């Protein structure tokens, strides 16, 4: 007997048109539901997210089918991914039935659901359905019984689980009834290839053929209408993410990580800078609320949320969508609240872990722009004072611009205005120029470059802050003013290459300044040090091995994907790294990003203290970083966290410089 089965067995074929009528009605209702949401998204500003379409389509297909980003969180990710794959196979199986029953068989007389193919088809679909039920049960237990802290559970979650469970279970019951009547005794070998249905057939062993027929027919239609209800519910519930999430891969931001739209401050027709209401954001920012699955991965990784502050990236995304839907002209900054907006360190942990490419950070930055440029508001008086210092002195400390290059006295470092030859321009930054602790880092880096035969040139008193902290605090005007002056001087001196010891300067010069016309290559010193050590261009004194832990700065790690070069330097120096639980892409912010280096931290635990505590838990006596903000925050965190004497903060450059031969040693 050939392996196959009758399509639509026991269903009155004269009523198949009813099935298709309701199927088209359900699909129409689903389409109308999504169409009705388009005006919601169109409130936002235009944004081209269909450029480089072939690449975007690849990202969409790859992201949806591989579930790679979903799988980054092991347990719930695995449950969700396998459920998705199982349900997808069941959907494909349904399409194949429709293809044969309504196209190939009646039009060409070709049936392909038979023989070996049908055996594989039957087994695959049953296994897919069983896996889907098991994974859905796991997700049910996690959400409704385990209840992870702060995981929001709403009506939509109950509806989705109820519909999916009943659709899957009734599907197997319908199959079991058909098998009880047509396969279990007639073709037992084929029946074994439908293990899900076979498992349930004993339930109907005592039923008469007429009873099986009636029950099967009733449940077949119940199963069908449940599936149609599911289709209709998609655009009106959380289930819409079945479509909005793959589309969000299509709409992903293809610019360099952390790119921010540069405001045309000379546009005299502009009446609004930043986002005062939802419509001031881009349409993608509103759309993100529909793509959000409320999985809270972003919230779980937010350093502000994890130190008892009110910021939840997940909640911010939802609030944008809520206001766009319910009060389009509402005050967005008040709805989200200023406290929440100022808490963000722009560490990007939320965006990197998001399984559906939601963009949290720039929403917050646009609202900050409104607060700073339109309302003149900042987190506190200390920040307002720093803004005044930037305007007058080009640095947040209010120190004299003429002293900016004083740290380099006695070192083989030249100022560009002197006209002396140099190899690489060192953009020093404010902290390495003025902060006593970070000046030591600048000196160490200069000595390393000199030992490697690299002569550094600096702008000295002509250098101003790169503008990153004020920009991240919403003060685009202050950023562009200082940036234009820096760019003009860099271009004027014909600089061919720039190196920085500050990740914030690095990202700003390498990425943001390009929009303002700077095309000079920029690199962070950690990659330069790795290159110098690996190539043997530094004669280093042998030293004792040492233990340490290493902190991935957000703006070098998540923003620039530089993880291994600093570690390689430490290891080549004889260091053994005890990794913190939160490392590399999962690193925990020091608390200084997003302009927070300038602001007092008044709510909850200090982020720096939390990170230093993580370092202390490794048992390592040294915390190594490669960012002036991180070093400053860790020095403070060690003091306030009670770890003085047991943990010391060091910069990567200090470790390398400590191995350089002493001057006059002859080496």
């Amino acid at each position: 007997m050939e392996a196959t089965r009758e399509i639509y067995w026991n269903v009155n074929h004269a009523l198949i048109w009813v099935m298709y009528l309701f199927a088209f009605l359900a699909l129409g209702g689903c389409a109308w539901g999504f169409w009705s949401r388009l005006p919601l998204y169109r409130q936002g500003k235009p944004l081209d997210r269909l450029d480089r379409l072939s690449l975007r389509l690849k990202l969409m297909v790859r992201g949806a089918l591989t579930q790679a980003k979903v799988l980054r969180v092991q347990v719930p990710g695995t449950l969700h991914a396998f459920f998705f794959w199982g349900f997808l196979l069941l959907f494909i199986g349904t399409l194949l039935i429709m293809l044969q029953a309504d196209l190939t068989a009646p039009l060409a007389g070709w049936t392909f659901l038979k023989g070996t193919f049908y055996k594989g088809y039957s087994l695959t679909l049953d296994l897919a359905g069983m896996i889907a039920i098991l994974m859905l049960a796991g997700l049910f237990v996690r959400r409704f019984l385990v209840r992870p802290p702060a995981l929001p559970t709403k009506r939509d979650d109950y509806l989705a689980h109820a519909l999916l469970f009943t659709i899957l279970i009734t599907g197997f019951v319908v199959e079991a009834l058909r098998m009880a009547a047509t396969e279990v005794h007639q073709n037992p070998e084929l029946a074994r290839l439908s293990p899900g249905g076979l498992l349930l057939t004993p339930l109907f062993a005592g039923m008469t053929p007429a009873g099986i027929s009636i029950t099967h027919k009733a449940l077949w239609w119940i199963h069908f209408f449940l599936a149609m209800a599911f289709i209709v519910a998609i655009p009106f519930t959380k289930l819409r993410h079945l479509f909005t999430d793959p589309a969000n891969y299509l709409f992903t931001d293809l610019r360099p990580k952390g790119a921010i739209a540069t405001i045309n401050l000379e546009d005299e027709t502009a009446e609004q800078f930043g986002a005062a209401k939802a419509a001031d954001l881009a349409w993608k920012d509103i759309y993100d609320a529909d793509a959000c699955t409320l999985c809270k991965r972003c919230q779980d990784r937010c350093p502000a949320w994890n130190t008892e502050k009110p910021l939840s990236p997940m909640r911010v995304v939802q609030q944008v969508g809520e206001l766009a839907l319910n009060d389009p002209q509402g005050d967005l900054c008040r709805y989200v609240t200023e406290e929440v907006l100022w808490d963000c360190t722009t560490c990007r942990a939320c965006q990197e872990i998001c399984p559906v490419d939601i963009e949290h950070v720039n929403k917050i930055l646009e609202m900050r722009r409104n607060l700073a440029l339109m309302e003149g508001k900042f987190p506190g008086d200390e920040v307002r004072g720093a803004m005044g210092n930037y305007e007058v002195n080009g640095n947040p400390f209010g120190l004299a611009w003429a002293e900016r290059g004083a740290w380099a006295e006695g070192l083989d470092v030249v100022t560009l205005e002197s006209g002396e030859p140099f190899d690489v321009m060192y953009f020093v930054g404010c902290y390495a120029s003025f902060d006593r602790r970070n000046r030591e880092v600048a000196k160490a880096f200069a000595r390393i470059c000199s030992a490697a035969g690299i002569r550094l040139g600096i702008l000295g008193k002509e250098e101003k802050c790169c503008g990153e902290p004020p920009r991240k605090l919403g003060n685009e005007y202050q950023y562009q003013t200082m940036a234009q002056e820096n760019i003009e001087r860099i271009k004027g001196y014909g600089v061919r290459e720039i190196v920085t010891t500050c990740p914030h300067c690095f990202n700003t010069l390498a990425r943001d300044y390009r929009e303002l016309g700077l095309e000079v290559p920029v690199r962070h010193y950690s990659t330069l040090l790795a290159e110098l050590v690996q190539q043997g261009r530094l004669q280093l004194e042998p030293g004792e091995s040492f233990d340490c832990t290493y902190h991935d700065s957000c703006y070098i790690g998540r923003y620039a994907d530089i993880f291994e070069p600093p570690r390689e330097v430490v290891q080549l120096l004889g260091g053994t790294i005890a990794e913190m639980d939160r490392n590399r892409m999962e690193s925990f912010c020091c608390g200084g990003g997003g302009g927070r280096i300038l602001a007092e931290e008044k709510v909850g635990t200090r982020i720096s203290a939390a990170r230093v505590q993580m370092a202390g838990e490794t048992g390592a006596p040294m915390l190594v970083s490669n960012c002036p903000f991180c070093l400053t925050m860790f020095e403070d965190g060690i003091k306030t966290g009670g770890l003085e004497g047991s943990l010391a903060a060091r910069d990567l450059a200090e470790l390398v410089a400590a191995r350089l031969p002493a001057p006059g040693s002859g080496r």
Side-chain angles (χ1 to χ4, degrees):
M1 183 182 295
E2 186 175 40
T4 188
R5 69 178 172 88
E6 180 186 348
I7 304 300
Y8 302 136
W9 174 83
N10 195 43
V11 179
N12 188 341
H13 285 247
L15 296 177
I16 294 300
W17 68 269
V18 176
M19 180 188 74
Y20 277 104
L21 173 62
F22 279 98
F24 282 120
L25 288 174
L27 291 171
C30 180
W32 178 83
F34 279 112
W35 181 265
S36 66
R37 296 194 75 80
L38 291 181
L40 176 67
Y41 311 144
R42 287 181 180 137
Q43 292 179 39
K45 292 181 177 179
L47 181 68
D48 183 10
R49 285 296 173 86
L50 291 177
D51 60 316
R52 299 162 68 183
L53 188 58
S54 61
L55 173 59
R56 292 184 178 278
L57 289 170
K58 289 178 184 176
L59 292 174
M60 181 178 70
V61 173
R62 184 193 308 158
L65 294 184
T66 66
Q67 295 283 288
K69 294 186 177 182
V70 173
L71 285 164
R72 284 183 297 185
V73 178
Q74 193 170 10
V75 175
T78 301
L79 292 172
H80 187 282
F82 275 90
F83 172 78
F84 168 80
W85 290 325
F87 209 77
L88 178 63
L89 287 172
L90 292 173
F91 177 69
I92 293 172
T94 303
L95 293 181
L96 289 176
I97 287 176
M98 295 172 60
L99 179 64
Q100 175 176 294
D102 304 307
L103 288 176
T104 66
L107 298 181
W110 177 45
T111 58
F112 53 84
L113 291 175
K114 60 183 181 181
T116 303
F117 181 80
Y118 177 75
K119 290 179 181 180
Y121 169 89
S122 181
L123 181 60
T124 299
L125 262 64
D126 261 49
L127 292 177
M130 294 168 71
I131 289 171
I133 290 176
L134 288 173
M135 297 301 104
L136 187 61
L139 291 169
F140 179 89
V141 169
R142 176 178 180 267
R143 178 171 291 278
F144 298 107
L145 300 181
V146 176
R147 292 181 176 273
L151 180 68
T153 298
K154 300 182 178 181
R155 179 207 63 176
D156 286 4
D157 297 296
Y158 292 98
L159 176 64
H161 279 80
L163 274 175
L164 290 168
F165 266 127
T166 52
I167 289 170
L168 289 167
I169 292 171
T170 55
F172 274 115
V173 174
V174 167
E175 179 184 51
L177 287 163
R178 176 190 62 78
M179 291 172 63
T182 65
E183 276 184 19
V184 174
H185 301 294
Q186 297 87 336
N187 195 347
E189 290 187 5
L190 182 60
R192 283 194 287 271
L193 294 175
S194 300
L198 186 61
L199 190 67
L200 298 178
T201 53
L203 297 175
F204 313 111
M207 291 181 66
T208 64
I212 289 177
S213 176
I214 292 171
T215 306
H216 173 272
K217 190 173 296 185
L219 277 177
W220 191 95
W221 284 105
I222 289 172
H223 175 76
F224 169 75
F225 282 113
L226 283 170
M228 296 306 101
F230 176 82
I231 292 172
V232 172
I234 289 173
F236 303 102
T237 66
K238 182 181 177 180
L239 291 167
R240 68 174 69 94
H241 80 270
L242 291 170
F243 290 91
T244 56
D245 289 1
N248 225 26
Y249 295 135
L250 181 73
F251 300 144
T252 193
D253 191 350
L254 297 180
R255 297 176 299 171
K257 286 185 182 181
I260 310 168
T262 300
I263 298 176
N264 181 6
L265 296 171
E266 297 181 359
D267 182 2
E268 297 181 355
T269 64
E271 298 180 356
Q272 171 67 38
F273 294 126
K277 55 184 183 295
D280 293 327
L281 293 167
W283 65 264
K284 172 65 164 58
D285 293 311
I286 300 173
Y287 178 88
D288 275 347
D290 273 2
C292 178
T293 63
L294 298 175
C295 67
K296 83 180 185 72
R297 296 185 186 190
C298 57
Q299 180 177 284
D300 287 345
R301 284 151 186 79
C302 177
W305 177 266
N306 278 278
T307 51
E308 301 90 43
K309 296 171 182 63
L311 168 61
S312 162
M314 175 183 70
R315 182 70 187 124
V316 171
V317 171
Q318 291 300 310
Q319 286 172 319
V320 170
E322 290 167 3
L323 206 64
L325 179 65
N326 301 318
D327 186 11
Q329 298 303 314
D331 189 332
L332 183 59
C333 295
R334 304 292 98 70
Y335 188 65
V336 175
T337 75
E338 292 181 36
E339 184 180 14
V340 163
L341 294 175
W342 295 129
D343 278 341
C344 180
T345 67
T346 67
C347 71
R348 199 180 163 85
C350 52
Q351 286 187 216
E352 286 298 332
I353 197 60
C354 180
V356 293
D357 283 2
I358 286 170
E359 298 160 29
H360 309 72
V361 176
N362 281 10
K363 293 176 179 56
I364 292 174
L365 295 183
E366 286 298 326
M367 287 181 259
R368 284 184 174 185
R369 282 174 164 179
N370 174 72
L371 291 175
L373 298 176
M374 305 303 295
E375 301 181 26
K377 292 186 176 181
F378 294 100
D381 291 337
E382 71 280 7
V383 177
R384 191 172 291 104
M387 293 301 159
N389 291 333
Y390 280 123
E391 188 171 350
V392 176
N393 300 99
N395 67 78
F397 309 107
L399 298 175
W401 52 269
E403 295 298 313
R404 198 172 186 104
W407 65 271
E409 291 179 8
L411 297 171
D412 185 23
V413 176
V414 303
T415 58
L416 270 58
E417 69 173 348
S418 71
E420 294 185 51
F422 65 95
D423 299 306
V424 178
M425 182 190 128
Y426 174 28
F427 192 92
V428 186
C430 298
Y431 275 75
S433 294
F434 295 110
D435 176 69
R436 181 182 302 175
R437 179 68 182 85
N438 279 287
R439 277 186 167 188
E440 296 305 312
V441 176
K443 293 176 182 178
F445 178 61
R447 289 197 295 272
I448 294 168
C449 289
S450 181
I454 300 172
R455 196 177 201 192
L456 295 178
I458 62 173
L459 287 171
K461 64 183 180 181
E462 293 185 292
E463 179 185 293
K464 290 195 172 183
C465 175
C466 69
E468 193 264 0
R471 190 181 205 200
K472 292 297 169 62
L473 287 167
N475 195 343
E476 181 77 3
Y477 172 79
Q478 191 64 64
Y479 156 71
Q480 289 195 27
T481 299
M482 294 188 294
Q484 292 287 10
E485 291 184 36
N486 284 329
I487 291 170
E488 182 179 343
R489 291 188 172 97
I490 292 170
K491 285 183 173 181
Y493 286 119
V495 173
R496 296 187 301 275
E497 184 180 4
I498 300 173
V499 65
T500 77
T501 47
C502 174
H504 300 266
C505 295
F506 167 69
N507 277 274
T508 304
L509 270 67
R511 180 194 60 221
D512 300 343
Y513 276 22
R514 288 187 178 276
E515 290 195 23
L516 299 176
L518 182 68
E519 299 294 334
V520 180
V522 184
R523 66 189 304 182
H524 184 254
Y525 83 113
S526 60
T527 60
L528 176 60
L529 292 185
E531 181 181 294
L532 295 177
V533 173
Q534 289 168 353
Q535 293 178 355
R537 294 174 61 184
L538 291 171
Q539 293 186 6
L540 300 176
E541 297 279 3
E544 295 183 2
S545 60
F546 59 94
D547 296 321
C548 67
T549 188
Y550 174 74
H551 167 77
D552 293 279
S553 165
C554 303
Y555 276 74
I556 285 300
R558 276 185 290 269
Y559 275 81
D561 295 318
I562 298 174
F563 297 109
E564 300 312 316
R567 287 177 168 81
E568 291 168 1
V569 172
V570 172
Q571 291 163 357
L572 287 169
L573 293 174
T576 299
I577 300 174
E579 295 285 3
M580 289 180 267
D581 288 339
R582 301 284 293 270
N583 65 77
R584 292 178 172 82
M585 198 64 81
E586 291 274 351
S587 182
F588 194 85
C589 183
C590 73
R596 294 294 313 177
I597 188 73
L598 307 176
E600 290 292 330
E601 200 170 343
K602 301 173 183 177
V603 177
T605 304
R606 287 181 178 270
I607 295 174
S608 60
R611 185 54 169 169
V612 164
Q613 186 62 39
M614 295 177 197
E617 290 171 358
T618 67
M622 184 191 305
L623 171 55
V624 180
S625 60
N626 49 18
C627 169
F629 290 8
C630 294
L631 184 59
T632 299
M633 300 302 286
F634 292 153
E635 292 275 346
D636 179 67
I638 289 171
K639 293 176 183 176
T640 59
L643 291 174
E644 286 184 287
S646 62
L647 184 66
R650 294 289 182 268
D651 187 272
L652 185 65
E654 294 178 308
L655 300 185
V656 177
R659 295 292 181 87
L660 294 176
S665 65
R667 292 193 62 185

